[in-house]
Amino acid sequence: MSIWWSLHLRREAASVPLARRLLLGAMEAAGVDREVSYDLAIALSEACANAVEHGIGERNDALCVTACIDGDTCHIEVTDAGPGFPGTGPDAVNGVCPPAERDPRLPAPEHGRGLFLIEALADHVRFANRPNRGGAVVSFDKSLTYREDALLRAAG
């Protein structure tokens, strides 16, 4: 069984719950365990919120969400047309610097926790800049578990 969808959304706050609800609906239809579905929904919300806040582009004021449920794995990718992730150098992973380490003794900031949440909720995460096109790409995978009554899984 495989479910794949792609959305091109306006870069506005209302796009975040729309993407999340579509993902949760697909997960429910596939029979994915609800706890796993909610983890992915939070990670997707954070990736979309990041694109809405930082994805201001000269050519395109949109974001794209692509999701694929394929067997026991879900892959999600969120792209925007903004300036991309800042910095390269010796600490760069996949061409960009990972989120900065925060001193746990300091109070948590209002912003900047989204990328950490995505890393905590997904199995494999990649932060990258789109070469030659501008913008950021946040992609992540998570292993899926299914409910006992998963009709689509049984048919696949």
Side-chain angles (χ1 to χ4, degrees), residues 38-40 42-43 46 116-123 141-142:
Y38 291 131
D39 284 352
L40 280 167
I42 292 168
E46 293 298 333
F116 289 110
L117 279 172
I118 295 167
E119 287 182 317
L121 295 169
D123 297 331
D141 303 316
K142 187 163 181 79

Side-chain angles (χ1 to χ4, degrees), residues 64-144:
C64 181
V65 177
T66 303
C68 179
I69 301 169
D70 190 18
D72 293 335
T73 304
C74 180
H75 175 77
I76 297 174
E77 182 173 282
V78 177
T79 61
D80 64 50
F85 290 101
T88 58
D91 295 330
V93 177
N94 296 322
V96 297
C97 288
E101 291 291 324
R102 185 179 67 80
D103 186 339
R105 297 170 293 176
L106 298 175
E110 290 284 325
H111 300 284
R113 294 176 285 192
L115 299 180
F116 289 110
L117 279 172
I118 295 167
E119 287 182 317
L121 295 169
D123 297 331
H124 178 263
V125 181
R126 181 172 182 260
F127 306 107
N129 291 326
R130 295 187 332 173
N132 304 322
R133 296 169 69 190
V137 180
V138 175
S139 60
F140 49 96
D141 303 316
K142 187 163 181 79
S143 295
L144 302 177

Side-chain angles (χ1 to χ4, degrees), residues 27-41:
M27 297 277 194
E28 178 67 24
V32 174
D33 179 71
R34 285 183 179 93
E35 186 173 324
V36 173
S37 296
Y38 291 131
D39 284 352
L40 280 167

Side-chain angles (χ1 to χ4, degrees), residues 5 19-28 40-41 44 67 74 76:
W5 52 265
R20 181 179 58 241
R21 288 178 187 147
L22 284 169
L23 176 67
L24 285 170
M27 297 277 194
E28 178 67 24
L40 280 167
L44 174 61
C74 180
I76 297 174

